[in-house]
Amino acid sequence: MAQIIAIANQKGGVGKTTTAVNLAASLAILKKRVLLVDMDSQGNATMGSGVQKNDLLYSVTDVLLGEVPIETAIQKAEVGYKVLGANRELAGVELAIAEQEGREFILKNALKEVESAFDYIIVDCAPSLSLITVNALAAVNGVIIPMQCEYYALEGLADLTQTIDRIQKALNPNLEIVGVLRTMYDARNALTRDVSAELEQYFGKKLYDTVIPRNIRLAEAPAHGLPVIYFEKSSKGAVAYLNLAAEMLKKSKVKKGSAV
Ligand SMILES: Nc1ncnc2c1ncn2[C@@H]1O[C@H](COP(=O)(O)OP(=O)(O)OP(=O)(O)O)[C@@H](O)[C@H]1O
Ligand SMILES: [Mg+2]
């Protein structure tokens, strides 16, 4: 069964999409079968995977509206994984499904159809708690929370963990925080180190050892429609996301082992 993981944080610009794209690419390089689902009408994860958001014949919008089977809407990308793309049309879905029964579970039900074809399904979320994001959080087994180590990150933390708790209780008992990822990390900065220490205290083992440094190649790669590993494979960003994927695989093996 696929591990289905949302990359979520209500705060904008913390590296959700960068993480979704580069984690998907890294897991694929480590021979995992990966689907990336873009649940943000900005379509950044779609574009960052080399899929033109405005040329999509079908997107996640059509799947949520029940217009096409999910298999039809999944694109084969050139980057080692498959993509269920999004574009601005997704913004209109919210209203269209608002009154529908089971509206929170549309993505979950759709993913059931394809789950067995993948080892990992990574869902990139928008920086909001819309019904679209609720669909994402209802469909996954876990959440990875990317965080920038700055003062305001801590402020948003309680909100975020409360949201996850609420959704876990109301819609998805399986939902758990699988990991917290420090992004745009600058070890020379004292505030980064302070916030990092607080995150360690708050999240304990859930905080990934791997940190993602601030790296210009990570910011440049999306303009070329490429995960950073295909753009500059020896860059610090590429190495960091590969390390993250390896850390994730190792942790999930340990967890499986201990459950036996
Ligand atoms: N480690 C990094 N080093 C340098 N730049 C980065 C890094 N991570 C992300 N960025 C850049 O920071 C900006 C925000 O990143 P990203 O789009 O991944 O955040 P997001 O959380 O998905 O944003 P949104 O909330 O709008 O969806 C982008 O321009 C991205 O290229
Ligand atoms: Mg994003």
Side-chain angles (χ1 to χ4, degrees), residues 45-116:
T46 304
M47 295 294 279
S49 304
V51 174
Q52 290 303 316
K53 64 179 177 184
N54 294 323
D55 297 344
L56 289 172
L57 191 54
Y58 299 113
S59 69
V60 71
T61 301
D62 302 290
V63 175
L64 293 172
L65 293 177
E67 284 170 358
V68 294
I70 186 167
E71 296 90 334
T72 310
I74 290 175
Q75 312 275 318
K76 204 161 178 281
E78 304 284 316
V79 285
Y81 54 89
K82 292 190 175 171
V83 177
L84 178 53
N87 53 33
R88 55 191 305 188
E89 287 175 9
L90 182 60
V93 170
E94 180 100 17
L95 211 58
I97 62 173
E99 302 295 320
Q100 199 171 310
E101 199 177 327
R103 59 190 168 267
E104 295 98 345
F105 301 109
I106 305 173
L107 182 68
K108 182 186 169 90
N109 290 332
L111 289 180
K112 274 191 197 142
E113 305 292 324
V114 293
E115 203 185 338
S116 61

Side-chain angles (χ1 to χ4, degrees), residues 4 6 104-105 108 134-143 164-176:
I4 312 180
E104 295 98 345
F105 301 109
K108 182 186 169 90
V134 169
N135 254 271
L137 294 177
V140 300
N141 324 115
V143 188
I164 292 170
D165 275 359
R166 269 210 326 267
I167 293 190
Q168 192 225 27
K169 288 202 179 81
L171 301 171
N172 182 0
N174 297 326
L175 187 66
E176 59 165 354

Side-chain angles (χ1 to χ4, degrees), residues 11-19 40 42 44 124-127 183-185 212-216 218-220 222 241:
K11 195 164 159 43
V14 295
K16 292 182 288 296
T17 301
T18 304
T19 298
D40 186 347
Q42 296 181 96
N44 293 343
D124 185 33
C125 294
T183 60
M184 299 180 231
Y185 193 84
I212 309 300
R214 195 172 273 287
N215 176 241
I216 188 73
L218 280 169
E220 289 170 345
Y241 275 108

Side-chain angles (χ1 to χ4, degrees), residues 183-242:
T183 60
M184 299 180 231
Y185 193 84
D186 177 7
R188 291 165 307 180
N189 183 323
L191 179 62
T192 299
R193 292 197 304 270
D194 287 353
V195 173
S196 192
E198 293 217 26
L199 290 178
E200 231 161 88
Q201 224 173 20
Y202 196 93
F203 288 108
K205 283 203 179 115
K206 298 235 155 140
L207 188 67
Y208 287 116
D209 294 331
T210 307
V211 297
I212 309 300
R214 195 172 273 287
N215 176 241
I216 188 73
R217 296 289 177 255
L218 280 169
E220 289 170 345
H224 302 265
L226 291 171
V228 72
I229 199 145
Y230 295 107
F231 179 59
E232 196 174 310
K233 71 171 188 220
S234 57
S235 62
K236 285 194 172 131
V239 172
Y241 275 108
L242 209 49

